[in-house]
Amino acid sequence: MPELPEVEIVRQSLNKKIKQKKVKKVIVRNRNLRFKIPLNFSSYFENKKIIKVERFSKYLILYLSKSIYCLIHLGMSGTIHIIENKMNNIITNTSFYNSPTLPKKHNHVEIIFEKFKVVYNDPRRFGFFQIIKNKKNLKERFNHLGPEPFDLNFDLNYVYNYFKYKNRDIKNLLLDQKFISGVGNIYASEILFKSKIHPYRKVCFLSKEECKKIILNSKKILLKAISKGGSSIRDFKNTSGSKGGFQNEFKVYQQQGMKCKNFRCTDLIKKKISSNRSTFFCESCQK
């Protein structure tokens, strides 16, 4: 599943391409995504401008004219492709997952502009589109989610008090979107390694200094991942022709059996499976 940095790269690609462009037509080929696409879905788009593309957590937000918003969540396997008219599109994918070019199957939604179209592809159909009809409802839509790592509210007071009475592993809690929005399995492992905190430590025993490290390194790791274009787990590129480079910066994720990259540490990176998720860590460096 794409995490915050990868969704941000999709947002940047889309915003650059569709901002201030008018939609000519929308074709829905399959309404049966995670939430069924409404029958009148196309009426919210046709002959309206895309004002801009924003993001919250792992959600893309299309700002349409007349204060209408469309949320897009990519789910497990969703990708967004940009297809130029009358051009040989070598690479169409705006993200770094699945096919770099438009697959022949599972193209569920097409948003058609004058010189190009945007296609949503999703083999597993866990993604969704949702129309939000005003700004108040848009804000309420995210009430169940915690702050992003970049939010000013993600501070020591919030983190320490959230941890104080909880008997949960820190890795597990970093993946809890009610606590912090946008962090997934890749970046949780990297954040904890940089913070020198063992993934199975109980959060109620973390000190204020350790909480500060988690806050700081959450920001650092995600900002670096965005600057590197996200993490290309497979060797694919985005529509600008560049691929994500943060996978070259991994210290622990998918590094099991490799020597720890911390100076003077000779231990090997370990991998453990819990709740169907892989956790990577160095037992010597992370306490």
Side-chain angles (χ1 to χ4, degrees):
M1 176 187 288
E3 299 184 29
L4 187 154
E6 289 73 50
V7 178
E8 173 60 19
I9 298 305
V10 176
R11 185 204 70 79
Q12 291 175 11
S13 297
L14 269 182
N15 192 56
K16 185 177 179 181
K17 190 69 180 177
I18 70 176
K19 183 179 178 181
Q20 296 299 318
K21 298 288 196 304
K22 184 183 282 190
V23 177
K24 291 181 66 178
K25 186 179 179 181
V26 172
I27 300 172
V28 178
R29 302 192 184 279
N30 186 352
R31 295 173 56 220
N32 299 309
L33 302 182
R34 191 197 310 180
F35 307 130
K36 186 167 279 193
I37 295 177
L39 289 169
N40 65 342
F41 180 76
S42 61
S43 67
Y44 293 105
F45 281 85
E46 289 175 359
N47 296 313
K48 293 189 177 69
K49 253 184 194 178
I50 306 291
I51 307 301
K52 60 180 177 178
V53 183
E54 293 287 352
R55 178 196 55 74
F56 180 78
S57 183
K58 301 175 187 179
Y59 296 81
L60 294 166
I61 310 169
L62 306 187
Y63 282 59
L64 307 173
S65 48
K66 299 188 178 179
S67 297
I68 300 292
Y69 308 90
C70 179
L71 302 190
I72 304 174
H73 195 283
L74 301 174
M76 297 293 291
S77 61
T79 51
I80 292 177
H81 298 260
I82 296 175
I83 313 296
E84 301 280 355
N85 295 352
K86 300 177 182 178
M87 283 184 66
N88 181 19
N89 294 268
I90 298 172
I91 296 165
T92 64
N93 199 339
T94 55
S95 65
F96 312 107
Y97 290 80
N98 304 316
S99 174
T101 54
L102 184 69
K104 293 181 179 179
K105 296 180 179 179
H106 311 298
N107 296 311
H108 305 306
V109 178
E110 294 185 13
I111 303 173
I112 300 169
F113 298 84
E114 185 178 352
K115 295 181 180 180
F116 62 93
K117 63 182 177 180
V118 172
V119 180
Y120 178 73
N121 180 278
D122 192 350
R124 299 176 71 178
R125 292 188 283 120
F126 287 158
F128 63 84
F129 289 72
Q130 182 181 2
I131 297 294
I132 307 286
K133 296 183 180 179
N134 58 61
K135 198 166 188 177
K136 178 175 177 286
N137 289 347
L138 179 66
K139 186 177 180 181
E140 289 174 352
R141 178 62 178 77
F142 299 123
N143 278 348
H144 67 293
L145 297 174
E148 285 192 348
F150 311 126
D151 195 313
L152 292 176
N153 291 320
F154 187 64
D155 59 11
L156 182 60
N157 183 58
Y158 171 76
V159 173
Y160 187 71
N161 286 319
Y162 200 100
F163 286 175
K164 199 179 291 184
Y165 303 111
K166 289 183 173 59
N167 188 37
R168 292 174 63 185
D169 301 341
I170 178 58
K171 167 73 184 308
N172 179 272
L173 200 53
L174 280 178
L175 298 178
D176 187 342
Q177 302 299 296
K178 292 178 183 177
F179 165 60
I180 181 173
S181 293
V183 175
N185 205 35
I186 295 172
Y187 299 107
S189 289
E190 294 295 317
I191 289 164
L192 291 174
F193 178 77
K194 191 169 181 62
S195 302
K196 297 186 177 180
I197 295 171
H198 197 283
Y200 296 110
R201 283 272 304 280
K202 299 297 181 185
V203 295
C204 56
F205 297 121
L206 293 177
S207 68
K208 285 189 176 181
E209 282 306 310
E210 288 172 319
C211 291
K212 284 180 184 177
K213 286 181 183 178
I214 289 169
I215 294 163
L216 178 64
N217 291 324
S218 295
K219 300 177 197 298
K220 278 186 175 180
I221 293 287
L222 293 178
L223 283 171
K224 189 170 185 180
I226 291 168
S227 73
K228 294 284 184 179
S231 298
S232 294
I233 305 305
R234 301 180 180 89
D235 189 20
F236 295 145
K237 302 177 182 179
N238 67 359
T239 52
S240 67
S242 60
K243 66 178 182 177
F246 191 73
Q247 72 280 358
N248 300 321
E249 307 287 332
F250 288 164
K251 306 297 184 188
V252 286
Y253 187 77
Q254 292 186 339
Q255 304 297 304
Q256 66 271 21
M258 304 289 286
K259 183 177 171 294
C260 176
K261 294 181 180 178
N262 275 342
F263 183 61
R264 289 183 179 172
C265 181
T266 58
D267 208 350
L268 303 181
I269 301 301
K270 293 187 176 179
K271 173 184 176 181
K272 284 190 178 179
I273 307 289
S274 58
S275 303
N276 293 319
R277 291 182 182 272
S278 301
T279 297
F280 305 88
F281 59 98
C282 173
E283 211 145 39
S284 293
C285 295
Q286 293 172 255
K287 303 296 184 184

